[in-house]
Amino acid sequence: MKCIALIGYMCVGKTTIGKALSKRTGLRFYDLDWYIEHRFRRKIPEIFAEDGEEKFRIMEQNMLHEVAEFEDIVLSCGGGTPTWADNMEYLNATAQTFYMKAAPETILAHLAMARGNRPILAGKSPDELDAFVRKQLAEREAFYAKAQHTINVDILDSFEKINDVVEMIAAQLETTTA
């Protein structure tokens, strides 16, 4: 089986869904950010701060090409991964791609709980954060929309709903591989 790649904005549940999908399908799970951090022995915020975004994106693209060639995996991509160079086209050529789509309000609610882990959001007021998320979503939507499948993940507030999303993905995989 090809790689199954989950894309979407930060805090939409790509890792949560990816781990549950991995368990459901018996496929190995990889988080691209985690993979990068372990390969280079540096945290993503550290890479951004020391090398800048462009060098990080080149590194990310190289690691994407490495990991997406693995077979029988579920891959959770960083929120900006599909927006760089030809990453989205590459993903569509090598994987079954799923856009984990959530409304700005959902993302903002999730970010409110995880802000300490996102240096790019540090110091932003609630209004600045709202404007930032909406602007980035608008800029990235054209890339995310290129995914082969779109799954609404606005309500992932229980294990049951997470499993419902996993079953939706599994059903779509069955129809595309049949």
Side-chain angles (χ1 to χ4, degrees):
M1 173 182 278
K2 287 172 120 179
C3 167
I4 300 165
L6 307 180
I7 65 163
Y9 200 70
M10 66 177 122
C11 279
V12 296
K14 297 181 301 282
T15 299
T16 300
I17 295 296
K19 287 179 179 178
L21 182 62
S22 171
K23 190 174 185 178
R24 159 71 167 75
T25 60
L27 303 176
R28 290 171 296 149
F29 174 75
Y30 285 88
D31 179 284
L32 186 57
D33 285 348
W34 176 89
Y35 189 80
I36 292 166
E37 289 180 347
H38 281 79
R39 280 291 305 269
F40 293 94
R41 292 177 169 59
R42 296 164 62 200
K43 295 289 184 189
I44 301 296
E46 182 184 336
I47 296 168
F48 259 83
E50 293 174 6
D51 300 341
E53 183 176 6
E54 186 170 345
K55 283 188 179 178
F56 168 75
R57 295 295 176 197
I58 292 167
M59 181 186 301
E60 178 184 53
Q61 183 180 36
N62 291 334
M63 294 301 95
L64 173 65
H65 282 249
E66 185 173 304
V67 176
E69 294 295 327
F70 297 169
E71 292 190 12
D72 301 328
I73 69 164
V74 175
L75 175 63
S76 172
C77 297
T81 304
T83 69
W84 181 260
D86 66 345
N87 285 352
M88 196 62 227
E89 289 76 14
Y90 176 77
L91 281 166
N92 279 330
T94 59
Q96 284 288 315
T97 53
F98 288 85
Y99 170 22
M100 305 287 99
K101 185 173 185 165
E105 295 78 16
T106 301
I107 293 166
L108 288 162
H110 293 176
L111 284 172
M113 293 181 277
R115 261 174 105 171
N117 300 329
R118 311 279 176 172
I120 195 168
L121 306 176
K124 287 186 174 32
S125 72
D127 288 341
E128 290 169 332
L129 182 61
D130 185 281
F132 177 83
V133 167
R134 290 176 191 278
K135 181 179 184 282
Q136 269 203 329
L137 271 177
E139 293 168 353
R140 293 178 175 186
E141 180 63 28
F143 296 96
Y144 295 157
K146 292 179 184 178
Q148 297 153 346
H149 311 276
T150 299
I151 304 287
N152 184 306
V153 292
D154 275 320
I155 304 175
L156 291 179
D157 58 0
S158 70
F159 289 116
E160 181 181 322
K161 290 176 184 166
I162 292 167
N163 287 331
D164 289 346
V165 169
V166 167
E167 290 306 319
M168 281 191 280
I169 294 171
Q172 288 189 24
L173 286 168
E174 288 173 14
T175 61
T176 57
T177 58

PDB file of all heavy atoms in Angstrom, residues 75-108:
ATOM      1  N   LEU A  75       1.362   9.027   7.369  1.00  0.00           N
ATOM      2  CA  LEU A  75       2.270  10.156   7.558  1.00  0.00           C
ATOM      3  C   LEU A  75       1.481  11.416   7.889  1.00  0.00           C
ATOM      4  O   LEU A  75       0.621  11.836   7.127  1.00  0.00           O
ATOM      5  CB  LEU A  75       3.085  10.387   6.285  1.00  0.00           C
ATOM      6  CG  LEU A  75       4.004  11.610   6.250  1.00  0.00           C
ATOM      7  CD1 LEU A  75       5.088  11.499   7.313  1.00  0.00           C
ATOM      8  CD2 LEU A  75       4.619  11.771   4.867  1.00  0.00           C
ATOM      9  N   SER A  76       1.787  12.009   9.022  1.00  0.00           N
ATOM     10  CA  SER A  76       1.210  13.299   9.406  1.00  0.00           C
ATOM     11  C   SER A  76       2.207  14.381   9.003  1.00  0.00           C
ATOM     12  O   SER A  76       3.341  14.389   9.470  1.00  0.00           O
ATOM     13  CB  SER A  76       0.977  13.328  10.919  1.00  0.00           C
ATOM     14  OG  SER A  76       0.601  14.621  11.334  1.00  0.00           O
ATOM     15  N   CYS A  77       1.776  15.281   8.117  1.00  0.00           N
ATOM     16  CA  CYS A  77       2.647  16.348   7.617  1.00  0.00           C
ATOM     17  C   CYS A  77       2.455  17.620   8.433  1.00  0.00           C
ATOM     18  O   CYS A  77       1.379  17.866   8.983  1.00  0.00           O
ATOM     19  CB  CYS A  77       2.327  16.642   6.149  1.00  0.00           C
ATOM     20  SG  CYS A  77       2.647  15.251   5.061  1.00  0.00           S
ATOM     21  N   GLY A  78       3.473  18.445   8.474  1.00  0.00           N
ATOM     22  CA  GLY A  78       3.365  19.751   9.113  1.00  0.00           C
ATOM     23  C   GLY A  78       2.382  20.626   8.348  1.00  0.00           C
ATOM     24  O   GLY A  78       2.153  20.422   7.146  1.00  0.00           O
ATOM     25  N   GLY A  79       1.817  21.599   9.014  1.00  0.00           N
ATOM     26  CA  GLY A  79       0.818  22.468   8.396  1.00  0.00           C
ATOM     27  C   GLY A  79       1.303  23.206   7.161  1.00  0.00           C
ATOM     28  O   GLY A  79       0.538  23.457   6.235  1.00  0.00           O
ATOM     29  N   GLY A  80       2.591  23.532   7.118  1.00  0.00           N
ATOM     30  CA  GLY A  80       3.119  24.256   5.971  1.00  0.00           C
ATOM     31  C   GLY A  80       3.717  23.368   4.888  1.00  0.00           C
ATOM     32  O   GLY A  80       4.043  23.844   3.803  1.00  0.00           O
ATOM     33  N   THR A  81       3.833  22.073   5.167  1.00  0.00           N
ATOM     34  CA  THR A  81       4.478  21.157   4.219  1.00  0.00           C
ATOM     35  C   THR A  81       3.889  21.247   2.810  1.00  0.00           C
ATOM     36  O   THR A  81       4.635  21.374   1.836  1.00  0.00           O
ATOM     37  CB  THR A  81       4.432  19.706   4.734  1.00  0.00           C
ATOM     38  OG1 THR A  81       5.028  19.639   6.022  1.00  0.00           O
ATOM     39  CG2 THR A  81       5.147  18.764   3.789  1.00  0.00           C
ATOM     40  N   PRO A  82       2.557  21.198   2.652  1.00  0.00           N
ATOM     41  CA  PRO A  82       1.999  21.199   1.292  1.00  0.00           C
ATOM     42  C   PRO A  82       2.201  22.506   0.532  1.00  0.00           C
ATOM     43  O   PRO A  82       2.041  22.545  -0.681  1.00  0.00           O
ATOM     44  CB  PRO A  82       0.507  20.951   1.506  1.00  0.00           C
ATOM     45  CG  PRO A  82       0.374  20.435   2.886  1.00  0.00           C
ATOM     46  CD  PRO A  82       1.522  21.001   3.655  1.00  0.00           C
ATOM     47  N   THR A  83       2.568  23.569   1.236  1.00  0.00           N
ATOM     48  CA  THR A  83       2.644  24.894   0.610  1.00  0.00           C
ATOM     49  C   THR A  83       4.015  25.203   0.014  1.00  0.00           C
ATOM     50  O   THR A  83       4.177  26.235  -0.626  1.00  0.00           O
ATOM     51  CB  THR A  83       2.296  25.995   1.624  1.00  0.00           C
ATOM     52  OG1 THR A  83       3.339  26.079   2.608  1.00  0.00           O
ATOM     53  CG2 THR A  83       0.965  25.732   2.317  1.00  0.00           C
ATOM     54  N   TRP A  84       4.984  24.342   0.218  1.00  0.00           N
ATOM     55  CA  TRP A  84       6.342  24.615  -0.214  1.00  0.00           C
ATOM     56  C   TRP A  84       6.653  23.868  -1.507  1.00  0.00           C
ATOM     57  O   TRP A  84       6.400  22.671  -1.621  1.00  0.00           O
ATOM     58  CB  TRP A  84       7.332  24.217   0.876  1.00  0.00           C
ATOM     59  CG  TRP A  84       8.754  24.482   0.519  1.00  0.00           C
ATOM     60  CD1 TRP A  84       9.662  23.567   0.070  1.00  0.00           C
ATOM     61  CD2 TRP A  84       9.439  25.728   0.542  1.00  0.00           C
ATOM     62  NE1 TRP A  84      10.867  24.169  -0.169  1.00  0.00           N
ATOM     63  CE2 TRP A  84      10.764  25.501   0.114  1.00  0.00           C
ATOM     64  CE3 TRP A  84       9.073  27.022   0.889  1.00  0.00           C
ATOM     65  CZ2 TRP A  84      11.713  26.507   0.024  1.00  0.00           C
ATOM     66  CZ3 TRP A  84      10.022  28.021   0.804  1.00  0.00           C
ATOM     67  CH2 TRP A  84      11.321  27.769   0.381  1.00  0.00           C
ATOM     68  N   ALA A  85       7.244  24.580  -2.459  1.00  0.00           N
ATOM     69  CA  ALA A  85       7.725  24.002  -3.724  1.00  0.00           C
ATOM     70  C   ALA A  85       6.642  23.126  -4.342  1.00  0.00           C
ATOM     71  O   ALA A  85       5.501  23.559  -4.452  1.00  0.00           O
ATOM     72  CB  ALA A  85       9.036  23.259  -3.486  1.00  0.00           C
ATOM     73  N   ASP A  86       6.996  21.898  -4.719  1.00  0.00           N
ATOM     74  CA  ASP A  86       6.029  20.991  -5.341  1.00  0.00           C
ATOM     75  C   ASP A  86       5.580  19.903  -4.365  1.00  0.00           C
ATOM     76  O   ASP A  86       5.169  18.812  -4.785  1.00  0.00           O
ATOM     77  CB  ASP A  86       6.625  20.356  -6.600  1.00  0.00           C
ATOM     78  CG  ASP A  86       7.787  19.425  -6.280  1.00  0.00           C
ATOM     79  OD1 ASP A  86       8.319  19.467  -5.142  1.00  0.00           O
ATOM     80  OD2 ASP A  86       8.173  18.642  -7.166  1.00  0.00           O
ATOM     81  N   ASN A  87       5.645  20.170  -3.077  1.00  0.00           N
ATOM     82  CA  ASN A  87       5.337  19.147  -2.080  1.00  0.00           C
ATOM     83  C   ASN A  87       3.947  18.546  -2.251  1.00  0.00           C
ATOM     84  O   ASN A  87       3.767  17.336  -2.110  1.00  0.00           O
ATOM     85  CB  ASN A  87       5.482  19.690  -0.658  1.00  0.00           C
ATOM     86  CG  ASN A  87       6.929  19.845  -0.251  1.00  0.00           C
ATOM     87  OD1 ASN A  87       7.838  19.429  -0.956  1.00  0.00           O
ATOM     88  ND2 ASN A  87       7.147  20.471   0.887  1.00  0.00           N
ATOM     89  N   MET A  88       2.948  19.368  -2.549  1.00  0.00           N
ATOM     90  CA  MET A  88       1.595  18.834  -2.671  1.00  0.00           C
ATOM     91  C   MET A  88       1.475  17.925  -3.887  1.00  0.00           C
ATOM     92  O   MET A  88       0.866  16.854  -3.806  1.00  0.00           O
ATOM     93  CB  MET A  88       0.569  19.976  -2.729  1.00  0.00           C
ATOM     94  CG  MET A  88      -0.856  19.522  -2.480  1.00  0.00           C
ATOM     95  SD  MET A  88      -1.060  18.817  -0.825  1.00  0.00           S
ATOM     96  CE  MET A  88      -1.966  17.325  -1.241  1.00  0.00           C
ATOM     97  N   GLU A  89       2.067  18.311  -4.976  1.00  0.00           N
ATOM     98  CA  GLU A  89       2.040  17.474  -6.176  1.00  0.00           C
ATOM     99  C   GLU A  89       2.783  16.166  -5.908  1.00  0.00           C
ATOM    100  O   GLU A  89       2.335  15.094  -6.316  1.00  0.00           O
ATOM    101  CB  GLU A  89       2.653  18.217  -7.366  1.00  0.00           C
ATOM    102  CG  GLU A  89       1.793  19.357  -7.889  1.00  0.00           C
ATOM    103  CD  GLU A  89       1.813  20.619  -7.031  1.00  0.00           C
ATOM    104  OE1 GLU A  89       2.687  20.766  -6.148  1.00  0.00           O
ATOM    105  OE2 GLU A  89       0.921  21.473  -7.228  1.00  0.00           O
ATOM    106  N   TYR A  90       3.909  16.261  -5.219  1.00  0.00           N
ATOM    107  CA  TYR A  90       4.676  15.067  -4.869  1.00  0.00           C
ATOM    108  C   TYR A  90       3.845  14.137  -3.981  1.00  0.00           C
ATOM    109  O   TYR A  90       3.796  12.917  -4.209  1.00  0.00           O
ATOM    110  CB  TYR A  90       5.986  15.456  -4.176  1.00  0.00           C
ATOM    111  CG  TYR A  90       6.757  14.256  -3.701  1.00  0.00           C
ATOM    112  CD1 TYR A  90       7.485  13.480  -4.591  1.00  0.00           C
ATOM    113  CD2 TYR A  90       6.721  13.885  -2.362  1.00  0.00           C
ATOM    114  CE1 TYR A  90       8.171  12.352  -4.165  1.00  0.00           C
ATOM    115  CE2 TYR A  90       7.404  12.761  -1.928  1.00  0.00           C
ATOM    116  CZ  TYR A  90       8.120  12.000  -2.823  1.00  0.00           C
ATOM    117  OH  TYR A  90       8.782  10.884  -2.390  1.00  0.00           O
ATOM    118  N   LEU A  91       3.197  14.701  -2.970  1.00  0.00           N
ATOM    119  CA  LEU A  91       2.370  13.878  -2.083  1.00  0.00           C
ATOM    120  C   LEU A  91       1.268  13.169  -2.862  1.00  0.00           C
ATOM    121  O   LEU A  91       1.017  11.980  -2.654  1.00  0.00           O
ATOM    122  CB  LEU A  91       1.770  14.735  -0.962  1.00  0.00           C
ATOM    123  CG  LEU A  91       2.715  15.061   0.194  1.00  0.00           C
ATOM    124  CD1 LEU A  91       2.152  16.171   1.061  1.00  0.00           C
ATOM    125  CD2 LEU A  91       2.996  13.810   1.023  1.00  0.00           C
ATOM    126  N   ASN A  92       0.601  13.891  -3.742  1.00  0.00           N
ATOM    127  CA  ASN A  92      -0.474  13.272  -4.519  1.00  0.00           C
ATOM    128  C   ASN A  92       0.041  12.169  -5.441  1.00  0.00           C
ATOM    129  O   ASN A  92      -0.683  11.231  -5.746  1.00  0.00           O
ATOM    130  CB  ASN A  92      -1.243  14.322  -5.324  1.00  0.00           C
ATOM    131  CG  ASN A  92      -2.268  15.038  -4.478  1.00  0.00           C
ATOM    132  OD1 ASN A  92      -2.816  14.491  -3.529  1.00  0.00           O
ATOM    133  ND2 ASN A  92      -2.537  16.283  -4.823  1.00  0.00           N
ATOM    134  N   ALA A  93       1.281  12.282  -5.878  1.00  0.00           N
ATOM    135  CA  ALA A  93       1.853  11.267  -6.760  1.00  0.00           C
ATOM    136  C   ALA A  93       2.325  10.031  -5.995  1.00  0.00           C
ATOM    137  O   ALA A  93       2.379   8.940  -6.563  1.00  0.00           O
ATOM    138  CB  ALA A  93       3.018  11.858  -7.549  1.00  0.00           C
ATOM    139  N   THR A  94       2.656  10.191  -4.719  1.00  0.00           N
ATOM    140  CA  THR A  94       3.240   9.074  -3.962  1.00  0.00           C
ATOM    141  C   THR A  94       2.352   8.553  -2.838  1.00  0.00           C
ATOM    142  O   THR A  94       2.698   7.546  -2.224  1.00  0.00           O
ATOM    143  CB  THR A  94       4.595   9.483  -3.347  1.00  0.00           C
ATOM    144  OG1 THR A  94       4.389  10.605  -2.483  1.00  0.00           O
ATOM    145  CG2 THR A  94       5.621   9.806  -4.403  1.00  0.00           C
ATOM    146  N   ALA A  95       1.254   9.218  -2.561  1.00  0.00           N
ATOM    147  CA  ALA A  95       0.439   8.848  -1.403  1.00  0.00           C
ATOM    148  C   ALA A  95      -1.045   9.052  -1.687  1.00  0.00           C
ATOM    149  O   ALA A  95      -1.414   9.733  -2.641  1.00  0.00           O
ATOM    150  CB  ALA A  95       0.849   9.712  -0.199  1.00  0.00           C
ATOM    151  N   GLN A  96      -1.855   8.477  -0.813  1.00  0.00           N
ATOM    152  CA  GLN A  96      -3.264   8.839  -0.747  1.00  0.00           C
ATOM    153  C   GLN A  96      -3.303  10.025   0.216  1.00  0.00           C
ATOM    154  O   GLN A  96      -2.889   9.891   1.372  1.00  0.00           O
ATOM    155  CB  GLN A  96      -4.106   7.682  -0.188  1.00  0.00           C
ATOM    156  CG  GLN A  96      -4.354   6.575  -1.175  1.00  0.00           C
ATOM    157  CD  GLN A  96      -5.339   7.022  -2.245  1.00  0.00           C
ATOM    158  OE1 GLN A  96      -6.364   7.628  -1.961  1.00  0.00           O
ATOM    159  NE2 GLN A  96      -5.021   6.729  -3.489  1.00  0.00           N
ATOM    160  N   THR A  97      -3.754  11.182  -0.255  1.00  0.00           N
ATOM    161  CA  THR A  97      -3.710  12.399   0.563  1.00  0.00           C
ATOM    162  C   THR A  97      -5.082  12.737   1.113  1.00  0.00           C
ATOM    163  O   THR A  97      -6.085  12.676   0.401  1.00  0.00           O
ATOM    164  CB  THR A  97      -3.161  13.588  -0.244  1.00  0.00           C
ATOM    165  OG1 THR A  97      -3.913  13.722  -1.458  1.00  0.00           O
ATOM    166  CG2 THR A  97      -1.685  13.377  -0.584  1.00  0.00           C
ATOM    167  N   PHE A  98      -5.100  13.101   2.385  1.00  0.00           N
ATOM    168  CA  PHE A  98      -6.317  13.469   3.085  1.00  0.00           C
ATOM    169  C   PHE A  98      -6.126  14.828   3.742  1.00  0.00           C
ATOM    170  O   PHE A  98      -5.234  14.992   4.574  1.00  0.00           O
ATOM    171  CB  PHE A  98      -6.659  12.430   4.167  1.00  0.00           C
ATOM    172  CG  PHE A  98      -7.152  11.132   3.607  1.00  0.00           C
ATOM    173  CD1 PHE A  98      -6.255  10.156   3.205  1.00  0.00           C
ATOM    174  CD2 PHE A  98      -8.510  10.890   3.475  1.00  0.00           C
ATOM    175  CE1 PHE A  98      -6.692   8.962   2.677  1.00  0.00           C
ATOM    176  CE2 PHE A  98      -8.964   9.689   2.947  1.00  0.00           C
ATOM    177  CZ  PHE A  98      -8.051   8.723   2.544  1.00  0.00           C
ATOM    178  N   TYR A  99      -6.980  15.766   3.364  1.00  0.00           N
ATOM    179  CA  TYR A  99      -6.976  17.101   3.972  1.00  0.00           C
ATOM    180  C   TYR A  99      -7.877  17.059   5.191  1.00  0.00           C
ATOM    181  O   TYR A  99      -9.074  16.828   5.083  1.00  0.00           O
ATOM    182  CB  TYR A  99      -7.460  18.119   2.939  1.00  0.00           C
ATOM    183  CG  TYR A  99      -7.750  19.513   3.448  1.00  0.00           C
ATOM    184  CD1 TYR A  99      -7.205  20.036   4.617  1.00  0.00           C
ATOM    185  CD2 TYR A  99      -8.592  20.342   2.706  1.00  0.00           C
ATOM    186  CE1 TYR A  99      -7.482  21.316   5.041  1.00  0.00           C
ATOM    187  CE2 TYR A  99      -8.874  21.640   3.125  1.00  0.00           C
ATOM    188  CZ  TYR A  99      -8.324  22.119   4.289  1.00  0.00           C
ATOM    189  OH  TYR A  99      -8.614  23.405   4.702  1.00  0.00           O
ATOM    190  N   MET A 100      -7.300  17.258   6.357  1.00  0.00           N
ATOM    191  CA  MET A 100      -8.047  17.341   7.607  1.00  0.00           C
ATOM    192  C   MET A 100      -8.502  18.792   7.751  1.00  0.00           C
ATOM    193  O   MET A 100      -7.725  19.667   8.149  1.00  0.00           O
ATOM    194  CB  MET A 100      -7.172  16.941   8.797  1.00  0.00           C
ATOM    195  CG  MET A 100      -6.507  15.577   8.700  1.00  0.00           C
ATOM    196  SD  MET A 100      -7.627  14.197   8.927  1.00  0.00           S
ATOM    197  CE  MET A 100      -7.931  13.723   7.238  1.00  0.00           C
ATOM    198  N   LYS A 101      -9.744  19.037   7.364  1.00  0.00           N
ATOM    199  CA  LYS A 101     -10.251  20.407   7.272  1.00  0.00           C
ATOM    200  C   LYS A 101     -11.047  20.784   8.519  1.00  0.00           C
ATOM    201  O   LYS A 101     -11.936  20.057   8.943  1.00  0.00           O
ATOM    202  CB  LYS A 101     -11.142  20.538   6.036  1.00  0.00           C
ATOM    203  CG  LYS A 101     -11.625  21.943   5.790  1.00  0.00           C
ATOM    204  CD  LYS A 101     -12.354  22.061   4.471  1.00  0.00           C
ATOM    205  CE  LYS A 101     -12.707  23.519   4.216  1.00  0.00           C
ATOM    206  NZ  LYS A 101     -13.084  23.733   2.821  1.00  0.00           N
ATOM    207  N   ALA A 102     -10.710  21.948   9.065  1.00  0.00           N
ATOM    208  CA  ALA A 102     -11.416  22.468  10.240  1.00  0.00           C
ATOM    209  C   ALA A 102     -11.657  23.961  10.059  1.00  0.00           C
ATOM    210  O   ALA A 102     -10.874  24.654   9.405  1.00  0.00           O
ATOM    211  CB  ALA A 102     -10.601  22.225  11.509  1.00  0.00           C
ATOM    212  N   ALA A 103     -12.720  24.431  10.648  1.00  0.00           N
ATOM    213  CA  ALA A 103     -13.060  25.853  10.610  1.00  0.00           C
ATOM    214  C   ALA A 103     -12.073  26.644  11.478  1.00  0.00           C
ATOM    215  O   ALA A 103     -11.510  26.104  12.433  1.00  0.00           O
ATOM    216  CB  ALA A 103     -14.481  26.067  11.126  1.00  0.00           C
ATOM    217  N   PRO A 104     -11.876  27.918  11.148  1.00  0.00           N
ATOM    218  CA  PRO A 104     -10.963  28.742  11.961  1.00  0.00           C
ATOM    219  C   PRO A 104     -11.315  28.721  13.450  1.00  0.00           C
ATOM    220  O   PRO A 104     -10.419  28.677  14.295  1.00  0.00           O
ATOM    221  CB  PRO A 104     -11.127  30.144  11.377  1.00  0.00           C
ATOM    222  CG  PRO A 104     -11.610  29.933   9.989  1.00  0.00           C
ATOM    223  CD  PRO A 104     -12.433  28.674  10.023  1.00  0.00           C
ATOM    224  N   GLU A 105     -12.598  28.704  13.758  1.00  0.00           N
ATOM    225  CA  GLU A 105     -13.026  28.702  15.169  1.00  0.00           C
ATOM    226  C   GLU A 105     -12.542  27.434  15.887  1.00  0.00           C
ATOM    227  O   GLU A 105     -12.132  27.493  17.051  1.00  0.00           O
ATOM    228  CB  GLU A 105     -14.559  28.815  15.260  1.00  0.00           C
ATOM    229  CG  GLU A 105     -15.125  30.126  14.746  1.00  0.00           C
ATOM    230  CD  GLU A 105     -15.197  30.215  13.206  1.00  0.00           C
ATOM    231  OE1 GLU A 105     -15.108  29.189  12.511  1.00  0.00           O
ATOM    232  OE2 GLU A 105     -15.318  31.345  12.706  1.00  0.00           O
ATOM    233  N   THR A 106     -12.610  26.322  15.206  1.00  0.00           N
ATOM    234  CA  THR A 106     -12.139  25.052  15.786  1.00  0.00           C
ATOM    235  C   THR A 106     -10.640  25.121  16.021  1.00  0.00           C
ATOM    236  O   THR A 106     -10.144  24.752  17.093  1.00  0.00           O
ATOM    237  CB  THR A 106     -12.467  23.878  14.842  1.00  0.00           C
ATOM    238  OG1 THR A 106     -13.878  23.831  14.636  1.00  0.00           O
ATOM    239  CG2 THR A 106     -11.973  22.563  15.397  1.00  0.00           C
ATOM    240  N   ILE A 107      -9.913  25.591  15.027  1.00  0.00           N
ATOM    241  CA  ILE A 107      -8.450  25.691  15.134  1.00  0.00           C
ATOM    242  C   ILE A 107      -8.069  26.630  16.273  1.00  0.00           C
ATOM    243  O   ILE A 107      -7.187  26.324  17.081  1.00  0.00           O
ATOM    244  CB  ILE A 107      -7.844  26.149  13.796  1.00  0.00           C
ATOM    245  CG1 ILE A 107      -8.054  25.058  12.739  1.00  0.00           C
ATOM    246  CG2 ILE A 107      -6.367  26.500  13.954  1.00  0.00           C
ATOM    247  CD1 ILE A 107      -7.804  25.494  11.319  1.00  0.00           C
ATOM    248  N   LEU A 108      -8.740  27.760  16.349  1.00  0.00           N
ATOM    249  CA  LEU A 108      -8.445  28.723  17.418  1.00  0.00           C
ATOM    250  C   LEU A 108      -8.706  28.125  18.799  1.00  0.00           C
ATOM    251  O   LEU A 108      -7.922  28.353  19.730  1.00  0.00           O
ATOM    252  CB  LEU A 108      -9.251  30.008  17.206  1.00  0.00           C
ATOM    253  CG  LEU A 108      -8.760  30.858  16.031  1.00  0.00           C
ATOM    254  CD1 LEU A 108      -9.825  31.855  15.599  1.00  0.00           C
ATOM    255  CD2 LEU A 108      -7.460  31.565  16.390  1.00  0.00           C
TER     256      LEU A 108
END
